[in-house]
Amino acid sequence: MAKTNNKIDRRLRDLVRRHGTPMLAISRAVLRAQLERFRKALPRVEPFYAMKANPCAAVLKTLAQAGAGFDVASLAEMEAALAAGAPPERLIFANTIKPARAISAAAARGISLMTFDSEYELDKIAERSPGARVIVRIKVPNVGSIVELSLKFGVDPADAISLLIKAHKLGLRPAGVSFHVGSQCTRVENYIEALETAAIIVRDARLKQVPCGIVDIGGGFPIRHFDDEDDPFDPAAGVIAREIDRLFDANVRLIAEPGRFIAGPAGTLVMRVVGKAIRENKHWYYLDDGVYGALSGIVFDHAKYQFKVARNGRTQLSTLAGPTCDSLDIIARGEELPELELGDIVYAENAGAYSLASATNFNGLEPAKAVLVP
Ligand SMILES: Cc1ncc(COP(=O)(O)O)c(C=O)c1O
């Protein structure tokens, strides 16, 4: 559902005048505020920002200065996080399947904490990074999460201890257990069930004297996308914090890998109408960004956005489309919009995560420019 808004328009107009469109305006203040909200709501959990959500160098620098750790998924991400000022001990290599070369590079850079979810991966890690601290990722329910992750990752929880024992036999240091409840998880029961499963593994590991002192609760923390929704984070975080206190004593170190929660609310994607047509008796507005660009989350992340415009007036059902020659590049149908003119601004808030990160240059179009604002 689209919305008209005149107030915010002046600030965006200034930015557009200086930087053009398409532009992803990213607020440093909101990045810091989201990190602080996370720390306050989950005081026992250390946030390792999942930089896949938004890897802009200035975002990483802002978060590194605020003391965040980083979840990195590749050699390039590792280098970007280190370049932003994060010390190697504040990085977790949280891609369970890693090229051997990337494991060697992590070892060379002093990054020793990594996740795995297969015996084959353990052999690779043992060869390339002897003595690395390894965390076993378990499969947990992803029911109702917008992006399902347990399909591709995680071992059966019943196999976790034997894999940690195998890690020890290979000369690695078993370190803990991790999970991911699925991204944009609005069903807090997923966290509760996963935490209970992790607690059983930690208890069992103690009995068998296998080190398992870290519980990594992954990402998935949800954000609000539409103005008329309640913010889903605080109620969920309250429940998670209580479960953590109930299940884990002070000897257990808790970490998390929030991506969307940190970067999503900080980003506003600002576009312009570059073309207009009437098709099927409806107005179609062609914007200068679309699903091959910073709105790629519509395809890859199942994202939905609230599109806002700076015009008032009688609304009509309209279609928003992107600038490429592909008919897949339709952003939204059935948007209630006043009649727009060429050059008008259309923007979407809460677009800081999984947006520019997966934008392409398809049709020779430059991805949106990332602009950090105070
Ligand atoms: C291993 C891992 N950690 C963390 C995240 C971040 O998840 P979210 O953005 O839902 O917080 C992802 C997302 O895909 C992931 O794969």
Side-chain angles (χ1 to χ4, degrees), residues 148-230:
E148 153 86 52
L149 291 167
S150 269
L151 200 69
K152 188 173 166 193
F153 299 107
V155 301
D156 189 314
D159 296 331
I161 299 281
S162 58
L163 283 166
L164 290 174
I165 292 171
K166 171 158 185 185
H168 175 69
K169 286 187 182 147
L170 287 170
L172 297 167
R173 287 184 289 161
V177 58
S178 78
F179 58 78
H180 198 303
V181 294
S183 201
Q184 185 68 7
C185 170
T186 50
R187 188 176 171 271
V188 73
E189 289 81 5
N190 286 1
Y191 283 101
I192 297 173
E193 286 167 43
L195 286 166
E196 280 171 351
T197 307
I200 292 168
I201 292 168
V202 169
R203 207 176 320 133
D204 205 17
R206 272 188 192 159
L207 286 174
K208 297 190 166 98
Q209 300 189 326
V210 179
C212 188
I214 298 177
V215 173
D216 174 355
I217 68 172
F221 307 95
I223 63 167
R224 191 168 71 130
H225 277 107
F226 293 87
D227 290 349
D228 58 1
E229 285 172 358
D230 290 331

Side-chain angles (χ1 to χ4, degrees), residues 100-145:
R101 196 172 72 86
I103 299 171
S104 303
R109 287 159 180 75
I111 299 155
S112 76
L113 191 61
M114 53 191 79
T115 60
F116 75 97
D117 61 1
S118 104
E119 285 195 57
Y120 300 103
E121 190 73 8
L122 276 183
D123 292 333
K124 219 169 17 171
I125 299 172
E127 191 190 322
R128 298 295 186 125
S129 182
R133 294 178 302 148
V134 290
I135 291 184
V136 63
R137 177 158 165 186
I138 55 169
K139 196 183 276 300
V140 295
N142 277 204
V143 183
S145 294

Side-chain angles (χ1 to χ4, degrees), residues 11 23 38 46 77 79 83 92 101 127 149 162 195 198 239 247 252 288 293 316 322 325 327 329 348 354 358:
R11 186 180 57 91
M23 169 188 48
F38 188 93
E46 295 167 50
E77 285 198 353
E79 285 178 340
I92 177 167
R101 196 172 72 86
E127 191 190 322
L149 291 167
S162 58
L195 286 166
V239 174
L247 293 167
V252 177
D288 54 6
Q316 50 194 312
C325 292
S327 59
D329 194 6
Y354 307 113
S358 44

Side-chain angles (χ1 to χ4, degrees), residues 12 34 38 109 152 166 176 194 228 238 250 275 281 291 302 313 340:
L12 290 181
Q34 288 297 100
F38 188 93
R109 287 159 180 75
K152 188 173 166 193
K166 171 158 185 185
D228 58 1
N281 297 318
V291 303
H302 313 286
L340 303 179

Side-chain angles (χ1 to χ4, degrees), residues 13 145 219 230-231 294 301 313 338 353 372:
R13 263 185 207 290
S145 294
D230 290 331
D231 193 309
D301 189 42
L372 266 281

Side-chain angles (χ1 to χ4, degrees), residues 275-329:
K276 186 171 164 180
I278 294 183
R279 307 194 198 286
E280 305 153 333
N281 297 318
K282 287 194 187 72
H283 272 116
W284 281 57
Y285 301 105
Y286 294 80
L287 308 183
D288 54 6
D289 208 350
V291 303
Y292 284 94
L295 289 170
S296 51
I298 291 173
V299 177
F300 295 125
D301 189 42
H302 313 286
K304 292 201 167 55
Y305 298 106
Q306 180 165 5
F307 294 99
K308 297 186 177 179
V309 299
R311 257 181 210 282
N312 290 317
R314 203 170 60 81
T315 62
Q316 50 194 312
L317 284 182
S318 314
T319 297
L320 296 175
T324 68
C325 292
D326 189 353
S327 59
L328 176 79
D329 194 6

